[in-house]
Amino acid sequence: MVKVALLIAVSEYEHGLPSLPGSKKDIQEMERVLRDRNMGEFDDVKPLLNPDLVTMQIEIERLFAEGRQKDDLVLLYFSGHGIRDEHDNLYFATRNTRQNQQRDVLTATAVPAQTIQGFMNRSPSKRQVLILDCCFSGAFAKGLSATGRGLNSVPIQIATLLGGEGRAVLTSSTETQESFEEGSVGIYTRFIVEGIETGAADTDKNGIITVEELHEYAKWKTQAARF
């Protein structure tokens, strides 16, 4: 069993989408806590900054497919622009995502959530965690196969770290909400890192931070910071 993570941040865009300077800091902070022997204890953490469309899809497919075993823990993190089309399908913007003359995003130039779901569903790994710090990220659950178990049913541990079997998707927003940066880091990511690093997300004080506890802590702190 190995623990592997791919951390994607898209902070710069070549065709008019606003830059997100905090995204670069987001993956640096996530990499730090996941690599730490007293926190994440991940065997392999790969940061991927400002990829183009093809590179981003290839690296995500490799994460879930290459050499994976049933007991491997696979974590995908994304910080950048999330985009919805007119049918409420979710896409993840890349460095070279384009817009048309009406300033609508050309979805052929962004990574569809459905593509990532396909990689997840075909993966031999039965322990999968996604952390999405982007607008409309709650829409990711749309279209997930019935074999994927939702956040509330997955007691995947952070402190030990991330044990158990199942799928968990942690999102910074609902399917209709935007996400926010504060200073030089995404608010949701900041509190994900804080919850792990300080142990504050261990709300039942049993020495184990589950994925559900981590998400609830970050969500509560994010909402408090917004208002």
Side-chain angles (χ1 to χ4, degrees):
M1 185 274 287
V2 298
K3 292 185 284 190
V4 296
L6 175 64
L7 311 179
I8 301 174
V10 187
S11 61
E12 302 296 332
Y13 299 85
E14 297 173 350
H15 302 288
L17 287 175
S19 63
L20 294 171
S23 291
K24 182 177 180 180
K25 180 69 171 177
D26 287 344
I27 60 168
Q28 291 172 345
E29 289 295 290
M30 288 296 299
E31 181 179 9
R32 180 175 60 81
V33 296
L34 292 181
R35 286 189 184 277
D36 192 288
R37 293 294 97 185
N38 296 314
M39 289 185 281
E41 297 186 295
F42 269 64
D43 301 291
D44 184 20
V45 180
K46 181 174 184 176
L48 185 63
L49 180 62
N50 296 327
D52 60 25
L53 175 67
V54 173
T55 299
M56 186 161 150
Q57 290 191 122
I58 288 173
E59 291 301 327
I60 295 172
E61 183 171 12
R62 283 176 171 168
L63 173 72
F64 286 102
E66 286 192 356
R68 296 284 79 83
Q69 303 295 323
K70 179 180 179 181
D71 291 336
D72 291 347
L73 171 65
V74 180
L75 185 150
L76 174 63
Y77 171 89
F78 175 80
S79 175
H81 283 299
I83 301 158
R84 286 190 309 162
D85 66 13
E86 65 272 21
H87 303 293
D88 294 330
N89 297 308
L90 179 66
Y91 298 79
F92 301 101
T94 70
R95 184 187 75 217
N96 57 342
T97 293
R98 295 176 178 269
Q99 298 170 301
N100 61 22
Q101 292 182 343
Q102 291 73 43
R103 306 295 291 176
D104 295 323
V105 168
L106 297 173
T107 56
T109 65
V111 177
Q114 290 181 341
T115 296
I116 299 175
Q117 291 162 4
F119 297 153
M120 294 168 64
N121 291 336
R122 294 191 295 273
S123 176
S125 168
K126 303 305 178 185
R127 304 165 65 203
Q128 303 174 0
V129 178
L130 271 72
I131 303 176
L132 304 176
D133 195 348
C134 63
C135 296
F136 317 121
S137 51
F140 187 87
K142 181 180 178 181
L144 276 176
S145 73
T147 59
R149 300 192 331 203
L151 174 66
N152 292 333
S153 65
V154 186
I156 300 180
Q157 300 171 355
I158 295 288
T160 50
L161 176 83
L162 291 167
E165 181 175 317
R167 176 183 293 157
V169 182
L170 285 70
T171 64
S172 63
S173 59
T174 70
E175 60 184 293
T176 59
Q177 286 179 327
E178 295 183 347
S179 294
F180 298 93
E181 286 188 355
E182 183 177 68
S184 61
V185 68
I187 297 176
Y188 184 74
T189 295
R190 188 180 89 192
F191 292 125
I192 287 283
V193 171
E194 177 184 288
I196 297 173
E197 191 167 32
T198 67
D202 180 16
T203 53
D204 62 6
K205 307 302 181 185
N206 68 347
I208 296 172
I209 300 173
T210 67
V211 165
E212 183 173 6
E213 284 179 317
L214 183 60
H215 173 66
E216 289 301 319
Y217 174 81
K219 182 176 73 171
W220 169 68
K221 293 283 284 188
T222 298
Q223 289 172 345
R226 286 177 178 176
F227 300 106

